[in-house]
Amino acid sequence: MKKTSKCLFLMQIMCLVLSFSCFADPKVIHVVVALCDNKYQQIAPVPKAIGNGQDPKNNLYWGAAYGFKTYFGKQKEWQVVQINKPDDGKILEEIVYKHRNKDVYLIAQAYDGKYIDDTIDDFIEYSAGKKQSSFTIDNKQITAGGKADLVVYIGHNALMEWSWRKFLPDSWRWETLPNDAQEQQKSRYAAVFACKSQKYFSKPLSGLGISPLILTMHLMAPEAYSVHAMIDAWLKGESKANIRLKVATAYSKYQKLNKPALNMFTTEYSQ
């Protein structure tokens, strides 16, 4: 009799846990891409066809072979559920993806290369937990922006030319937040796929209290295979060391390097 009661009790607990998981918020990843732009960005020029920041279809970081849209469009685990063209004129295309096997949504936005400063501003604000944006998918409300679990920037490191504000607003600083907001920030992640991003993005991001996932230490090509490797390993709950290894391995494979480019990537802010 006691054994039966114990089994019934355990079954009730399991049902309760499962019922709570059904109502859990989905994971959300928000990716902002500053389209490569020969005219408006201080970059080493690329071929004209892929360096037009007003042409997402052919752009190096979006529509080209290893651009975000093209590369993720070939990944079987990601399904496109919505394609939008926002009215603000800065975002030329916006795609919402749903993971086929997990309750995870990914919002990717292609910013006109002319507005790279706005792209970085938005990325920093999202990292601060600000500027939330909502999407309705199959009658389900998905909140991205400052509510996303992982925010990612892809593109030229424009902070090499200008400093994103010499100081953060006091209301954004991690140490000024209430305890629950501090814990929320620590549970969120930021990644920057741009040249030498650790050096230039560490100060603003660390001040916000958001956890670093992948930053870069040298000049690099911010193409989608590295981003995909990071997201895939992160969703599997792998350690930071494994995530770094998989990102470095993917980068080396597509860049035809002899060994994983571990010296290219880091999972920590600079001191």
Side-chain angles (χ1 to χ4, degrees), residues 1 10 12 20 23 27 30 34 60 68 76 95-97 124 130 137 143 183 205 210 217 244 249-250 269:
M1 185 71 177
L10 288 173
Q12 289 173 339
F20 276 124
F23 294 103
K27 268 193 187 305
H30 196 145
L60 178 62
F68 194 93
K76 294 180 180 179
I95 304 177
V96 181
Y97 300 85
I124 297 290
K130 310 295 181 184
I137 311 295
T143 308
E183 291 304 312
L205 293 179
I210 192 168
M217 295 186 287
R244 177 177 173 237
T249 300
Y269 295 129

Side-chain angles (χ1 to χ4, degrees), residues 233-247:
W234 179 70
L235 288 177
K236 290 175 180 175
E238 298 191 22
S239 68
K240 277 191 170 185
N242 279 354
I243 293 172
R244 177 177 173 237
L245 175 61
K246 290 193 172 178
V247 170

Side-chain angles (χ1 to χ4, degrees), residues 103-144:
D103 193 18
V104 179
Y105 289 85
L106 190 160
I107 289 83
Q109 296 172 316
Y111 282 69
D112 184 330
K114 180 179 181 179
Y115 299 107
I116 187 170
D117 294 353
D118 297 273
T119 317
I120 291 177
D121 279 348
D122 284 349
F123 170 73
I124 297 290
E125 289 197 48
Y126 296 157
S127 298
K130 310 295 181 184
K131 208 172 180 178
Q132 298 178 10
S133 55
S134 296
F135 300 82
T136 302
I137 311 295
D138 296 329
N139 297 318
K140 190 174 187 179
Q141 198 79 357
I142 308 301
T143 308

Side-chain angles (χ1 to χ4, degrees), residues 167-229:
F167 54 88
L168 296 171
D170 286 341
S171 61
W172 292 18
R173 290 184 173 278
W174 184 81
E175 65 269 18
T176 68
L177 302 176
N179 290 340
D180 58 338
Q182 288 185 345
E183 291 304 312
Q184 178 65 28
Q185 276 296 89
K186 284 168 63 178
S187 71
R188 303 175 67 232
Y189 291 89
V192 184
F193 289 83
C195 295
K196 299 183 179 181
S197 64
Q198 186 199 45
K199 178 179 179 181
Y200 292 90
F201 280 82
S202 285
K203 189 170 183 178
L205 293 179
S206 62
L208 300 172
I210 192 168
S211 297
L213 192 59
I214 286 291
L215 299 169
T216 66
M217 295 186 287
H218 301 285
L219 300 179
M220 54 90 67
E223 295 179 318
Y225 40 80
S226 300
V227 183
H228 178 266

Side-chain angles (χ1 to χ4, degrees), residues 3 10-11 25 49 63 70 76 99 112 129 132 139 157 161-162 206 229 234 255-256 262-263 268:
K3 194 172 183 179
L10 288 173
M11 288 177 66
D25 291 333
T70 300
K76 294 180 180 179
H99 199 286
D112 184 330
Q132 298 178 10
N139 297 318
N157 185 352
E161 287 96 52
W162 58 276
S206 62
W234 179 70
Q255 291 292 320
K256 296 181 171 53
L262 286 170
N263 66 328
E268 304 300 332

Side-chain angles (χ1 to χ4, degrees), residues 73-91:
K74 295 176 181 177
Q75 307 312 308
K76 294 180 180 179
E77 74 271 29
W78 291 104
Q79 174 189 8
V80 175
V81 294
Q82 202 173 94
I83 299 178
N84 307 312
K85 187 173 182 180
D87 296 328
D88 68 359
K90 295 177 183 178
I91 299 172

